[in-house]
């Protein structure tokens, strides 16, 4: 591989890593899984995700919106109603995330037991 090919491959890897960083972080995965069941208000999302701060939820939703995976809709009312839903591309990612969630649920005890065994050794 010559230098231009190496530079090109490096750019592709960097761009891929940027996408994987977004779709692979724990809060994005959980938000995508929850929104896979349909649109939710901000407050409903916050109650659905144990341990997430208001700031982290807001930052993650903004990033998902920026990446074109989530749509934010503000309905004028008092107080304003803010709903979030997946875009068509976000829905395709949500399907993949659902598989990862299922795998995690099926293997949660195995992972926990392996950690305990490792830590004890």
């Amino acid at each position: 591989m010559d230098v231009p090919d190496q530079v090109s491959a490096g750019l592709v890897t960097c761009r891929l890593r940027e996408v994987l960083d977004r779709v692979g972080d724990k809060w994005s995965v959980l938000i995508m899984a929850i929104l896979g069941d349909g649109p939710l208000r901000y407050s409903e999302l916050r109650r659905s995700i144990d341990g997430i701060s208001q700031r982290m939820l807001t930052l993650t939703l903004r990033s998902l919106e920026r990446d074109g995976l989530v749509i934010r809709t503000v309905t004028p009312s008092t107080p304003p109603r803010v709903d979030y839903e997946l875009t068509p591309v976000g829905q395709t990612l949500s399907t993949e995330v659902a598989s990862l969630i299922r795998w995690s649920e099926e293997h949660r005890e195995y992972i926990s037991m392996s950690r305990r065994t490792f830590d004890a050794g």
Side-chain angles (χ1 to χ4, degrees):
M1 185 182 315
D2 60 9
V3 174
D5 288 342
Q6 288 175 342
V7 170
S8 177
L11 289 174
V12 169
T13 301
C14 181
R15 290 182 185 142
L16 179 60
R17 194 190 68 218
E18 289 174 3
V19 172
L20 289 173
D21 285 346
R22 165 60 41 229
V23 302
D25 82 76
K26 68 180 178 182
W27 299 125
S28 293
V29 167
L30 290 172
I31 290 169
M32 297 298 295
I34 291 167
L35 289 178
D37 292 333
L40 289 174
R41 295 179 73 166
Y42 180 90
S43 58
E44 293 170 323
L45 267 172
R46 180 134 189 248
R47 283 191 301 270
S48 298
I49 305 172
D50 187 40
I52 193 167
S53 67
Q54 183 174 342
R55 179 179 184 279
M56 186 52 65
L57 178 57
T58 298
L59 289 173
T60 305
L61 285 167
R62 282 186 187 156
S63 294
L64 290 170
E65 184 180 9
R66 179 177 181 244
D67 291 344
L69 301 173
V70 169
I71 297 170
R72 178 180 183 262
T73 305
V74 179
T75 304
S77 61
T78 305
R81 178 184 172 115
V82 181
D83 292 285
Y84 292 89
E85 65 182 303
L86 298 176
T87 64
V89 171
Q91 290 170 353
T92 65
L93 177 58
S94 180
T95 301
E96 302 302 323
V97 165
S99 295
L100 179 60
I101 297 287
R102 271 192 308 282
W103 184 92
S104 298
E105 289 170 345
E106 290 171 8
H107 296 90
R108 179 181 55 219
E109 188 55 39
Y110 170 82
I111 299 291
S112 179
M113 188 173 61
S114 294
R115 288 177 178 173
R116 286 192 302 270
T117 302
F118 182 89
D119 292 347

